[in-house]
Amino acid sequence: MEANRKLNVLFLEDNPDDVELELYELRKGGFDISHDVARNRAEFFEKLSTADIDIIIADYNLPDFTGIEAIHACRGLEIDVPVILITGIGNEQVAVDSLREGATDYILKKNITGFAARVERALDIWTDHQAMKSVMVEKTRLQHQLFQAQKMDTVGRLAGGIAHDFNNMLTGIMGYASLGLKKTPDDSPLRKNLESIIDVSRRAADLVKQLLLFSRKIPLELTLVNPNTLIEKNVEFLRRVVEETIDIQLVLQPGLPEIVSDEGQLTQILINFAVNARDAMESKGVLVIETGRHTRADLDKFDPSLLLEDEEYVSLSFKDTGCGIPAEEIPNIFDPFYTTKEIGKGTGLGLAIVYSIVSSHKGWLDVASRPGKGTTFCVYLPVRRKGDRVATKSSAVKSASRSWPREAATILIAEDEEILRDFSVEMLKSVGYRVLAAGDGEEAAEIYRKWHQDIDLVISDMVMPRKSGFELYEEILEINPAVKFILVTGYCLDGVQESVLQGMAALLMKPYSMEQITGLIRSVLEE
């Protein structure tokens, strides 16, 4: 045993002679003892709440209290210390029952010799028990994280699949409506109907984007963003979102550095938190939006595994005066489709989308709440680091133009969705291009091998049967390293080499309008 090991002991004992004997044995065994004595139930609870205790040594049976009751009391008060029961009269069954009830050891007073060694062993057993308990808690936490990740992945795949199919339909609806609008006279009553179809389709596309944000199947368009500027630019819009009865106050730290982020997705965070606060405050209260700058040392309360080495962080906090969140609800609030709102007042996707956006930016979320006192959400995002990449021409869709060219260029379209393929062919022919069409990647490759000298541009969907857009691009590169290639997608591009994207002329996200694709084609052909 470590020499003169310090030990704070609470004795539950009504016989002072027994206390002195036990103290003598402990000190003789090498312990440096600080102690207190409770002689009954009342004194036990009084000293239990104030004393600094390493171990409790309790008489098995006092006139108004028992050692077993003392164990139960500690458990009820969440006081986690070892308890040794000691008695003058006992038997094997009592000892077994005591250990089953939670005693660390059970000692007869007549066997007090070697008491210090028994206490030392009890402390070692307790230390091992606590270590095992910590391991089990960590195991449970990791299992929960794995379950959450699997659940998010499953729901994300479902959402992404639905969004992909819906984007294809929206592209066809918007495209044919745009073609119809182009052929409709300015004074025709049909123009308003066609314009309404396009407008409603764009709003539907925004809803699809929500699903893609949640499932992380939309690429980040990274640019340099100043959070203060972003908030100031959107605050008037947020005031309209939350209604005039909610007072939005800004507390923005001056000199905040830029971060590398997707401005559209950060704006979505602002909107989702504002809507969440509005509902929590029942449209009446105060929402404080605050920014801050932090070093790694400032954030030592968080799990170190969440922090990047030698990194600065910017924080965006949203504090409302609403109803608050019960403690038992907080672990679930970022789950998809989880909501505490009434039916019809929430989808349960808002905070799940925020969580996905923050995670994709290598940041994390913190939440503090008290029922009836409001809630504070805080987002931490890393500041721009050397080597961070911002938007390149492969990920930036160039601005559209309404003056469509009638040049005699030849374009190869690879699209497995018949309605999109037919629309693309009709639309491109209507503005003067020659068009070759393929229903999958393999057919497109065959057409290019045969006619590559006459083809000026290839436009390919990313996901196709027989050969994907990426596989098609790599095969065409072997034929013509200078090929102009536009990839069309509604998915994120995780795992795709940046060099592959850099070689392409552009990336076009679904759904797209006739103006977008024709403007993009013209800019690519003019390069």
Side-chain angles (χ1 to χ4, degrees):
M1 183 181 73
E2 178 185 344
N4 299 319
R5 176 175 177 177
K6 293 184 178 297
L7 191 65
N8 296 323
V9 182
L10 174 60
F11 291 97
L12 176 59
E13 177 62 72
D14 60 349
N15 187 335
D17 292 337
D18 287 341
V19 172
E20 288 300 321
L21 179 58
E22 291 159 15
L23 282 172
Y24 171 77
E25 289 291 331
L26 291 173
R27 287 169 177 150
K28 186 175 68 172
F31 284 104
D32 180 3
I33 299 292
S34 297
H35 76 285
D36 207 345
V37 180
R39 295 168 296 179
N40 51 50
R41 175 192 293 268
E43 289 185 3
F44 179 76
F45 280 101
E46 176 187 349
K47 297 178 186 297
L48 194 63
S49 62
T50 58
D52 182 13
I53 304 169
D54 296 321
I55 190 169
I56 296 173
I57 299 175
D59 195 350
Y60 182 78
N61 196 15
L62 279 73
D64 67 340
F65 204 39
T66 68
I68 298 297
E69 288 177 312
I71 293 172
H72 293 168
C74 290
R75 189 178 301 157
L77 295 171
E78 297 183 351
I79 295 174
D80 216 6
V81 295
V83 179
I84 293 179
L85 296 185
I86 188 165
T87 184
I89 302 175
N91 55 51
E92 186 175 318
Q93 186 58 49
V94 172
V96 170
D97 292 343
S98 299
L99 296 174
R100 185 181 292 119
E101 290 293 336
T104 309
D105 201 354
Y106 178 88
I107 302 173
L108 293 175
K109 291 182 180 179
K110 63 183 180 181
N111 294 330
I112 200 69
T113 303
F115 183 57
R118 296 285 291 272
V119 170
E120 177 73 15
R121 190 185 70 170
L123 291 169
D124 290 343
I125 291 171
W126 185 258
T127 299
D128 292 343
H129 170 76
Q130 293 301 96
M132 182 61 69
K133 187 176 178 180
S134 297
V135 169
M136 294 305 297
V137 168
E138 179 65 10
K139 180 180 178 181
T140 301
R141 185 184 71 83
L142 293 174
Q143 286 176 334
H144 178 72
Q145 286 185 344
L146 176 62
F147 172 74
Q148 288 295 98
Q150 290 171 335
K151 182 167 63 173
M152 291 286 283
D153 182 64
T154 300
V155 179
R157 287 174 183 272
L158 173 63
I162 293 171
H164 173 261
D165 293 340
F166 200 45
N167 268 339
N168 281 340
M169 290 185 283
L170 285 174
T171 302
I173 293 169
M174 292 171 65
Y176 278 112
S178 296
L179 280 175
L181 190 63
K182 182 173 178 288
K183 298 175 182 178
T184 303
D186 291 343
D187 59 352
S188 172
L190 290 177
R191 288 194 67 86
K192 185 176 181 181
N193 293 340
L194 291 171
E195 288 169 351
S196 295
I197 290 172
I198 294 172
D199 181 60
V200 171
S201 296
R202 285 182 177 138
R203 288 162 60 189
D206 289 339
L207 291 177
V208 175
K209 188 176 182 180
Q210 293 278 325
L211 286 173
L212 292 172
L213 286 172
F214 159 66
S215 60
R216 301 185 195 178
K217 292 190 177 294
I218 189 168
L220 293 175
E221 296 181 9
L222 297 177
T223 59
L224 292 177
V225 178
N226 184 291
N228 285 349
T229 304
L230 179 71
I231 292 169
E232 290 169 337
K233 184 171 71 174
N234 287 282
V235 67
E236 291 306 318
F237 173 73
L238 295 179
R239 287 193 170 102
R240 292 195 296 272
V241 168
V242 301
E243 302 176 12
E244 295 179 355
T245 52
I246 290 179
D247 178 22
I248 296 183
Q249 300 177 3
L250 302 184
V251 183
L252 307 181
Q253 181 174 327
L256 215 60
E258 293 179 321
I259 59 177
V260 176
S261 62
D262 185 308
E263 183 172 342
Q265 294 195 15
L266 286 191
T267 302
Q268 191 64 50
I269 289 177
L270 298 181
I271 295 170
N272 284 8
F273 275 135
V275 170
N276 203 66
R278 178 199 65 193
D279 295 343
M281 294 186 286
E282 297 182 345
S283 301
K284 186 176 182 180
V286 178
L287 172 60
V288 179
I289 303 177
E290 185 174 356
T291 60
R293 185 174 186 174
H294 311 272
T295 64
R296 181 184 174 95
D298 297 332
L299 306 174
D300 57 359
K301 69 174 181 176
F302 296 108
D303 183 348
S305 65
L306 296 173
L307 304 176
L308 302 176
E309 288 292 336
D310 302 321
E311 183 59 278
E312 271 192 302
Y313 290 85
V314 166
S315 63
L316 293 78
S317 67
F318 304 81
K319 182 178 182 180
D320 65 57
T321 56
C323 59
I325 305 171
E328 64 273 14
E329 301 282 355
I330 289 179
N332 303 314
I333 60 176
F334 297 108
D335 289 357
F337 307 112
Y338 181 87
T339 180
T340 58
K341 299 174 185 177
E342 298 176 18
I343 295 176
K345 291 190 176 182
T347 63
L349 273 178
L351 291 180
I353 289 170
V354 168
Y355 182 88
S356 293
I357 293 173
V358 172
S359 297
S360 67
H361 283 75
K362 295 182 173 61
W364 77 96
L365 282 156
D366 188 34
V367 57
S369 185
R370 292 175 58 195
K373 300 294 184 180
T375 301
T376 299
F377 288 97
C378 196
V379 175
Y380 294 89
L381 298 171
V383 172
R384 183 188 186 189
R385 295 168 296 164
K386 185 178 180 180
D388 280 337
R389 303 184 67 91
V390 295
T392 62
K393 71 171 186 175
S394 66
S395 61
V397 175
K398 302 165 182 63
S399 59
S401 170
R402 296 189 64 83
S403 58
W404 301 320
R406 294 185 176 274
E407 302 166 355
T410 300
I411 299 174
L412 170 61
I413 294 286
E415 172 59 67
D416 62 308
E417 285 284 342
E418 184 178 0
I419 189 170
L420 296 187
R421 188 170 63 251
D422 291 346
F423 151 67
S424 299
V425 170
E426 183 178 350
M427 178 267 298
L428 293 177
K429 285 183 175 180
S430 74
V431 295
Y433 294 115
R434 292 191 294 267
V435 185
L436 301 171
D440 58 57
E442 185 60 45
E443 184 183 357
E446 292 174 3
I447 292 173
Y448 195 83
R449 280 193 292 269
K450 185 175 182 180
W451 302 103
H452 65 273
Q453 292 180 337
D454 299 317
I455 295 173
D456 301 288
L457 174 67
V458 179
I459 302 175
S460 173
D461 191 22
M462 183 176 78
V463 180
M464 295 183 295
R466 299 175 69 192
K467 196 183 294 290
S468 71
F470 290 118
E471 292 170 330
L472 173 62
Y473 174 66
E474 290 176 344
E475 185 168 331
I476 287 176
L477 273 182
E478 295 179 1
I479 302 170
N480 178 14
V483 64
K484 292 183 177 181
F485 193 101
I486 296 175
L487 184 69
V488 182
T489 182
Y491 282 107
C492 71
L493 304 176
D494 291 342
V496 178
Q497 291 184 357
E498 181 68 18
S499 59
V500 176
L501 295 178
Q502 288 289 337
M504 295 180 183
L507 174 68
L508 180 63
M509 293 297 300
K510 294 179 182 179
Y512 52 82
S513 66
M514 184 173 176
E515 292 87 351
Q516 280 179 296
I517 189 169
T518 52
L520 179 60
I521 289 171
R522 188 180 72 167
S523 64
V524 169
L525 289 174
E526 289 177 350
E527 287 183 348

